[in-house]
Amino acid sequence: MAETPRSKRTLIRKGDMLVLVSLLAAALLLLLVMRLTARPGAEAVVTVPGGEFTLSLAGDQVREVTGLDGIPVVLEVNGGRIRFQSSGCPDKICVNSGWLSRAGQSAACVPAGVALRLVGGTQGVDAVTA
């Protein structure tokens, strides 16, 4: 009996590589478009249990507000962006949400009942489809 050569198995074929490179290029293009079209927010609307007020993102400031059940929340505005600097809530999810800088972004400290929403400027692109 003559042995037949075993067919070579390749993990990635030329077509697979082409699809992978195309997807990577599309993802990078989407990221570039989102970065170039993002506009900064002009101000933050802060919602607290007693109502809401606005904070300008033009200057640097630190503002403490009192949430539900007396939970202290500290907001920091720096360089045209805002974040929850600290909070007396148990989970600190709001603090870990990071900086907000583009119109349309939002974050909240649910236990304290405090929310941030950036308005003004022009909203950036949420998604691009082809």
Side-chain angles (χ1 to χ4, degrees), residues 1 7 19 31 41-42 49 63 70-71 95 99-100 114 120:
M1 259 193 296
S7 64
V19 169
L31 182 63
R63 178 92 178 252
I71 297 174
V95 175
W99 292 97
L100 306 176
V114 177

Side-chain angles (χ1 to χ4, degrees), residues 1 13 30 34 48 59 62 67 71 81 91 93 112 123:
M1 259 193 296
R13 297 181 183 171
L30 177 62
M34 288 176 62
V48 294
V62 175
I71 297 174
R81 54 193 188 153
D91 297 330
I93 294 172
Q123 290 187 347

Side-chain angles (χ1 to χ4, degrees), residues 38-59:
R39 301 284 184 243
E43 59 188 13
V45 176
V46 181
T47 304
V48 294
E52 58 181 39
F53 61 92
T54 60
L55 285 177
S56 173
L57 301 181

Side-chain angles (χ1 to χ4, degrees), residues 5-14 16:
R6 198 186 310 188
S7 64
K8 292 184 180 180
R9 292 185 182 182
T10 58
L11 295 177
I12 299 178
R13 297 181 183 171
K14 289 180 185 178
D16 296 337

